Amino acid sequence: PSRTRQCTSWQRDQRTLDVCTCIIMIMISVCTAQKILINCKIDESSPAPFRFQTNPKYLKFSQLEIIASAPARRIFSAAIQNVHRSCVKVFKMSKLIHAVKIMFLFGWMFAAADAVAQLKDTNTSAYKFSKGRTEIELFISAHGNIDPHTQFTSFEAARSFGQKIMSETGQPLKRTYTFGPGIHNVGGQGILLNEDDAGSVFSGSNASTTFLSGAIGGTNLTWTETKHNGMRAFVTNLPKNTKYFRQLFVADRVHDRYSSGGNYDNSKTFSRRYTARSDIMEYNHSNAKNPKYAIVYNPGQVEPAYHNQQDVLATIFHCWTATTHRIQDINASNLTLTLYQAPHVDIPRCEHASGKRFYIEDAVEYLSVGEFYRDSVAETITYIPYAHETAETFEAYIPQAVTLITATNTSDISFTGLSFVHGAVDMSGFFEGDCDGQSATNLGSAAIMFTNVSYSVFDHCQCMHVGSFGMSIGGACHNVTVSSSVISDIGAGAMRIGTKVTISEEAAEITDEVVVVDNDLSNGGHVYRMGPGILLEGCEKCHITHNDVHNFTYTGITTGYGFSEWAPAITSTDISFNHIHDIGKGLLSDMACVYTWGGHQPSMHINNNLCHAVASFNPNAGGYGGWGLYNDQTTVGVSWTNNVV
């Protein structure tokens, strides 16, 4: 104002000068309103000249609805008081003061509406309504230092709030849960969704920065550098009540900071660390007196006894599977290793094609670089680091939840822009029932599990660094689409679609209209070596197209589930335009890019797929069957057209 008064051309008309100055002040306040709303902190004791509604938490000015948290309401009050004092000092005109107050209020009102429209980016409120309060977006922070007025601190808190609003109004309410950047812990049981969550949207700004994790640890673990058998080692105490685990996931690249522009940046990549294990060895022969459970090893291959032997495991290779067992007994006198849980029929059945391979794991005696050992008695983890790793910056995550998302009896849910990471290993597939399931059908779990879910979408997401199947679209699922997503670094296969039902069963039980398109499915079989890229069991009218399926230690895509002629409910499905490559990796036998696993499969069309780089176990040692396209016995009703191998 002082500079404005120096303008001689305006001094002739004091009224014009006053009006122009008021306009300038209003323009300045409108332009800065959004920044003040976001950044300004108001004293709790500031008097409020206006009384606003506090329940529900929004303000009504005529027909304009503005969402406001408690801090935003205090900002309105303080700002109006400040302009009042400024006007008194500058103009000394009571009538003009009232006019400015009214004009300033409307200026703030429209600026605040603009700020509210951008709440997703600026995080100025924990939630916002839209479309006449029929939809609500709830913001969830991964960081405890965020103001609780601006974001919910957990998914459960946001979910409870949304359900409360819906129960109070008695009206349907579409809920969008927006997860902020960082690592959100889903707890030991993962997130459980049911019919109450129908219509919900789960979103993140970017799958490379927003993680839903089933792990504990990370920056909460303190590692101490020490020595183990002359090697550098990091040691930490296990958190209290830590459940069984067989994987560590280490943060390789970390940017966990506020950027210079004030936006939160939290990008991480992770890599898998294995338990301490021996090299792959060749045993002498199976034990003739106990062929289902015992092998005879060569001298020096197995220790007479192991530290914490109750935790030590042995993995035996067969034709198209590899099975992992707890050790029942080691007899050093006759070199016999006896296992719990017999593999399939008996061990000799596939010795002609397995190379008699086996290895020992979870044994501290074999601990080497890049591996860890969990001491269940001392409750510690010992890790042998790579040369570039330091104890001060080492960030490792301990998986605890096998399943990160369980959706049951619900519909119209969607996921976008999220990464689901750090799923624990489920060993029940080996320790219970048939431990020798082809295509990992002995494993009943996945990191993301849908059962009786319909009209739902999984788009532009990642499911990585997990210990079972990546995603299972199970029984009675209808119209589910998985698109433009990445499923990688997985314990078994990437996807499992359908269940073991027949066409004679109720139609509602059969999964149908599943679309899997434009996905990158890779790097599986870390625990269940026989996990395929995609396993289709009982399903109808499914479309598997334009996917990149690669780097699995067994088959790329498997259809059917048994060597019988009875009709499974796998009909009217097409597998087309997929790029399937780097399959087998020389580990197992009897696999292919696309493998039909028996039974009647009417109107199954396998067209226009590109297949290359399939390698079975060494043929010179008995390995066989690294095929491109493979119809196994009893397969009926499948057509193959225009595929390139």
Side-chain angles (χ1 to χ4, degrees), residues 105-216:
L105 177 60
F106 276 93
W108 267 86
M109 183 176 67
F110 287 107
D114 179 65
V116 168
Q118 302 182 45
L119 276 175
K120 184 174 181 180
D121 295 323
T122 58
N123 296 325
T124 58
S125 177
Y127 61 94
K128 70 174 181 180
F129 290 103
S130 60
K131 295 187 179 180
R133 303 196 77 200
T134 61
E135 297 184 5
I136 186 172
E137 185 171 9
L138 304 108
F139 303 94
I140 305 166
S141 168
H143 304 278
N145 61 339
I146 295 294
D147 184 347
H149 292 294
T150 63
Q151 293 187 347
F152 292 97
T153 56
S154 70
F155 166 72
E156 288 304 324
R159 185 189 193 197
S160 297
F161 181 83
Q163 291 177 338
K164 177 184 177 183
I165 293 294
M166 191 162 56
S167 64
E168 288 177 352
T169 61
Q171 300 295 325
L173 182 64
K174 182 175 181 179
R175 287 150 288 170
T176 296
Y177 299 97
T178 299
F179 292 83
I183 297 179
H184 301 257
N185 189 280
V186 300
Q189 299 299 316
I191 293 174
L192 307 178
L193 306 177
N194 53 39
E195 60 272 16
D196 293 335
D197 299 289
S200 295
V201 177
F202 303 85
S203 68
S205 57
N206 190 312
S208 66
T209 62
T210 309
F211 304 93
L212 273 62
S213 168
I216 58 176

Side-chain angles (χ1 to χ4, degrees), residues 293-351:
Y293 295 92
I295 62 172
V296 176
Y297 54 87
N298 293 307
Q301 289 183 327
V302 177
E303 297 293 327
Y306 288 96
H307 177 70
N308 292 345
Q309 188 166 299
Q310 73 279 1
D311 297 330
V312 177
L313 302 175
T315 294
I316 311 290
F317 288 88
H318 309 286
C319 294
W320 49 79
T321 64
T323 56
T324 300
H325 309 257
R326 289 170 290 194
I327 294 175
Q328 183 177 5
D329 180 65
I330 298 173
N331 189 328
S333 63
N334 61 9
L335 305 178
T336 299
L337 174 66
T338 304
L339 312 170
Y340 286 107
Q341 194 71 12
H344 203 49
V345 180
D346 55 32
I347 296 172
R349 179 173 185 262
C350 274
E351 283 186 335

Side-chain angles (χ1 to χ4, degrees), residues 24 34 47 59 178 519 605:
I24 291 171
Q34 186 172 355
L59 313 177
T178 299
N519 301 286
H605 300 287

Side-chain angles (χ1 to χ4, degrees), residues 25 66 84 96 106 346 361-362 396 425-426 484 541 597 621:
M25 290 183 62
I66 300 176
H84 183 287
L96 186 58
F106 276 93
D346 55 32
E361 57 185 322
D362 285 347
V425 170
D426 178 3
S484 303
K541 301 176 184 178
W597 187 9

Side-chain angles (χ1 to χ4, degrees), residues 27-328:
M27 290 174 62
I28 292 172
S29 50
V30 169
C31 293
T32 60
Q34 186 172 355
K35 290 184 178 179
I36 295 175
L37 274 172
I38 298 166
N39 298 318
C40 193
K41 293 183 178 179
I42 302 302
D43 188 348
E44 290 284 349
S45 61
S46 296
F50 299 95
R51 179 174 295 175
F52 297 122
Q53 291 177 290
T54 58
N55 189 16
K57 296 181 179 178
Y58 62 93
L59 313 177
K60 282 190 175 179
F61 293 94
S62 184
Q63 299 301 312
L64 180 64
E65 187 177 82
I66 300 176
I67 313 304
S69 62
R73 291 194 296 275
R74 293 194 296 273
I75 291 170
F76 270 81
S77 302
I80 293 171
Q81 292 178 70
N82 291 338
V83 76
H84 183 287
R85 288 191 291 267
S86 299
C87 289
V88 170
K89 291 180 181 178
V90 175
F91 300 109
K92 311 286 188 182
M93 298 171 59
S94 59
K95 291 183 179 180
L96 186 58
I97 289 171
H98 293 297
V100 169
K101 285 170 61 177
I102 294 171
M103 296 175 72
F104 186 84
L105 177 60
F106 276 93
W108 267 86
M109 183 176 67
F110 287 107
D114 179 65
V116 168
Q118 302 182 45
L119 276 175
K120 184 174 181 180
D121 295 323
T122 58
N123 296 325
T124 58
S125 177
Y127 61 94
K128 70 174 181 180
F129 290 103
S130 60
K131 295 187 179 180
R133 303 196 77 200
T134 61
E135 297 184 5
I136 186 172
E137 185 171 9
L138 304 108
F139 303 94
I140 305 166
S141 168
H143 304 278
N145 61 339
I146 295 294
D147 184 347
H149 292 294
T150 63
Q151 293 187 347
F152 292 97
T153 56
S154 70
F155 166 72
E156 288 304 324
R159 185 189 193 197
S160 297
F161 181 83
Q163 291 177 338
K164 177 184 177 183
I165 293 294
M166 191 162 56
S167 64
E168 288 177 352
T169 61
Q171 300 295 325
L173 182 64
K174 182 175 181 179
R175 287 150 288 170
T176 296
Y177 299 97
T178 299
F179 292 83
I183 297 179
H184 301 257
N185 189 280
V186 300
Q189 299 299 316
I191 293 174
L192 307 178
L193 306 177
N194 53 39
E195 60 272 16
D196 293 335
D197 299 289
S200 295
V201 177
F202 303 85
S203 68
S205 57
N206 190 312
S208 66
T209 62
T210 309
F211 304 93
L212 273 62
S213 168
I216 58 176
T219 56
N220 295 322
L221 292 179
T222 300
W223 296 84
T224 302
E225 183 165 332
T226 183
K227 291 286 186 180
H228 175 82
N229 290 341
M231 299 179 290
R232 288 175 64 229
F234 300 162
V235 177
T236 190
N237 293 320
L238 282 171
K240 189 176 180 180
N241 299 321
T242 300
K243 295 188 290 187
Y244 177 81
F245 65 95
R246 296 190 60 231
Q247 307 166 117
L248 280 182
F249 295 110
V250 175
D252 299 315
R253 178 173 56 87
V254 182
H255 302 292
D256 197 347
R257 56 178 170 78
Y258 279 94
S259 66
S260 57
N263 298 316
Y264 203 84
D265 178 15
N266 188 327
S267 351
K268 294 177 184 285
T269 59
F270 304 92
S271 60
R272 179 186 295 264
R273 299 294 188 269
Y274 293 99
T275 57
R277 60 185 60 188
S278 70
D279 294 332
I280 294 178
M281 302 172 284
E282 180 180 343
Y283 62 85
N284 193 285
H285 60 275
S286 54
N287 188 295
K289 295 182 179 180
N290 192 9
K292 288 188 176 183
Y293 295 92
I295 62 172
V296 176
Y297 54 87
N298 293 307
Q301 289 183 327
V302 177
E303 297 293 327
Y306 288 96
H307 177 70
N308 292 345
Q309 188 166 299
Q310 73 279 1
D311 297 330
V312 177
L313 302 175
T315 294
I316 311 290
F317 288 88
H318 309 286
C319 294
W320 49 79
T321 64
T323 56
T324 300
H325 309 257
R326 289 170 290 194
I327 294 175
Q328 183 177 5

Side-chain angles (χ1 to χ4, degrees), residues 4 10 15-25 27 91:
T4 305
W10 288 357
R15 185 180 298 274
T16 301
L17 174 63
D18 293 337
V19 172
C20 290
T21 306
C22 291
I23 293 172
I24 291 171
M25 290 183 62
M27 290 174 62
F91 300 109

Side-chain angles (χ1 to χ4, degrees), residues 174-177 193 197 199-203 411-416 418 450 455-459 461:
K174 182 175 181 179
R175 287 150 288 170
T176 296
Y177 299 97
L193 306 177
D197 299 289
S200 295
V201 177
F202 303 85
S203 68
S411 64
D412 191 26
I413 58 175
S414 65
F415 301 86
T416 183
L418 295 168
F450 287 2
Y455 300 100
S456 297
V457 175
F458 188 87
D459 179 65
C461 288

